Amino acid sequence: AIAAVDESLQLLGTLAKNKPSLLEFKKATMSFKKLELQIRKTHVTEIPFVEALISLAMNQDVNQDILSEIIQKLNKLRSRLASSVQLETENEAAAVKAFDELIVQLNKEINDSKNNIQRNTVLITETDKSIKDSNSIVDKKTFEVEDLKAKLEAEQESWRQETTTHEEVIAEIDKEIDVVKQCKTLFESKQFSSYVNSRLGA
């Protein structure tokens, strides 16, 4: 749009200096139409202003004072368009900067997430190994406990058998002692002495 304004200003400057020929007037008309199309595409709010200027400029009876005023107003329009373009450029630059900063932030978050995943993976691996080692130790201790229980049960069974045997021996000895006591009592009794003496006397 600024280029179209510059072209129109150049043609208006020519028209303001000299009475335009038909060819120059047609060139100016085409330039103004081009300007109008550009303004309609990019700066809708300026359309009424531009249409009014074009309507005045296209009047072949327009005098030099009006042309000078139109040129001044077109210069002001150019300033507004330039400011608008500059603002759009600044806004675009700010948007690009914000987008770039967002990309940097997202990349940082992605890298942080990857690092967290790697750390968690290492932690999970170490934890899994620790669990396996612990399970191995538990299995080993369980086997040792079962082995000790089996040995203890075997020792207890052996002790029960020895105890039974010991009790049986004690019972036999007690029986023999009773027999010995009975024999002693018998030998020491008067009846036995009489019987022995009677047998010896015979």
Side-chain angles (χ1 to χ4, degrees), residues 36-54:
E36 184 181 4
L37 289 174
Q38 290 292 326
I39 292 297
R40 285 186 183 279
K41 290 180 181 178
T42 57
H43 298 82
V44 178
T45 57
E46 299 287 359
I47 290 175
F49 175 72
V50 172
E51 287 178 342
L53 291 182
I54 291 173

Side-chain angles (χ1 to χ4, degrees), residues 52-104:
L53 291 182
I54 291 173
S55 178
L56 286 172
M58 290 300 95
N59 186 350
Q60 291 184 336
D61 297 328
V62 66
N63 59 42
Q64 299 300 315
D65 291 337
I66 293 177
L67 281 176
S68 296
E69 186 178 351
I70 291 173
I71 289 172
Q72 290 177 3
K73 291 185 180 300
L74 275 178
N75 278 320
K76 290 180 180 179
L77 172 62
R78 189 187 188 286
S79 296
R80 290 198 300 274
L81 294 178
S83 297
S84 177
V85 169
Q86 182 179 358
L87 180 60
E88 289 178 0
T89 301
E90 291 174 354
N91 289 340
E92 183 178 355
V96 169
K97 181 181 178 183
F99 179 77
D100 290 341
E101 290 175 351
L102 176 62
I103 293 299
V104 170

Side-chain angles (χ1 to χ4, degrees), residues 56-188:
L56 286 172
M58 290 300 95
N59 186 350
Q60 291 184 336
D61 297 328
V62 66
N63 59 42
Q64 299 300 315
D65 291 337
I66 293 177
L67 281 176
S68 296
E69 186 178 351
I70 291 173
I71 289 172
Q72 290 177 3
K73 291 185 180 300
L74 275 178
N75 278 320
K76 290 180 180 179
L77 172 62
R78 189 187 188 286
S79 296
R80 290 198 300 274
L81 294 178
S83 297
S84 177
V85 169
Q86 182 179 358
L87 180 60
E88 289 178 0
T89 301
E90 291 174 354
N91 289 340
E92 183 178 355
V96 169
K97 181 181 178 183
F99 179 77
D100 290 341
E101 290 175 351
L102 176 62
I103 293 299
V104 170
Q105 178 64 27
L106 289 175
N107 285 333
K108 181 179 180 300
E109 292 178 2
I110 290 172
N111 289 332
D112 290 343
S113 296
K114 287 181 178 178
N115 291 334
N116 287 335
I117 290 172
Q118 289 177 350
R119 284 194 295 269
N120 289 336
T121 301
V122 171
L123 181 61
I124 289 171
T125 301
E126 292 176 349
T127 302
D128 185 59
K129 182 179 181 300
S130 177
I131 290 172
K132 288 180 178 178
D133 291 343
S134 297
N135 287 337
S136 177
I137 293 172
V138 169
D139 291 341
K140 181 180 178 182
K141 294 300 180 183
T142 300
F143 174 80
E144 291 176 354
V145 169
E146 293 297 329
D147 184 57
L148 288 174
K149 284 174 64 177
K151 289 180 178 178
L152 178 60
E153 289 177 357
E155 290 179 359
Q156 288 178 339
E157 181 62 25
S158 176
W159 182 81
R160 282 195 294 269
Q161 291 179 357
E162 291 177 358
T163 300
T164 301
T165 302
H166 177 73
E167 290 176 350
E168 289 176 351
V169 170
I170 293 297
E172 287 295 326
I173 291 173
D174 288 340
K175 288 179 181 180
E176 291 178 359
I177 289 173
D178 287 340
V179 171
V180 170
K181 285 181 177 180
Q182 290 175 6
C183 290
K184 180 182 178 185
T185 302
L186 177 62
F187 292 155
E188 290 176 351

Side-chain angles (χ1 to χ4, degrees), residues 6-62:
D6 289 339
E7 183 179 343
S8 297
L9 283 170
Q10 184 178 358
L11 289 169
L12 283 174
T14 302
L15 295 178
K17 291 177 182 177
N18 304 299
K19 184 173 178 62
S21 65
L22 182 61
L23 178 61
E24 289 174 333
F25 190 80
K26 286 183 177 180
K27 286 177 65 177
T29 301
M30 292 178 62
S31 175
F32 292 145
K33 291 297 182 183
K34 180 180 177 181
L35 172 60
E36 184 181 4
L37 289 174
Q38 290 292 326
I39 292 297
R40 285 186 183 279
K41 290 180 181 178
T42 57
H43 298 82
V44 178
T45 57
E46 299 287 359
I47 290 175
F49 175 72
V50 172
E51 287 178 342
L53 291 182
I54 291 173
S55 178
L56 286 172
M58 290 300 95
N59 186 350
Q60 291 184 336
D61 297 328
V62 66

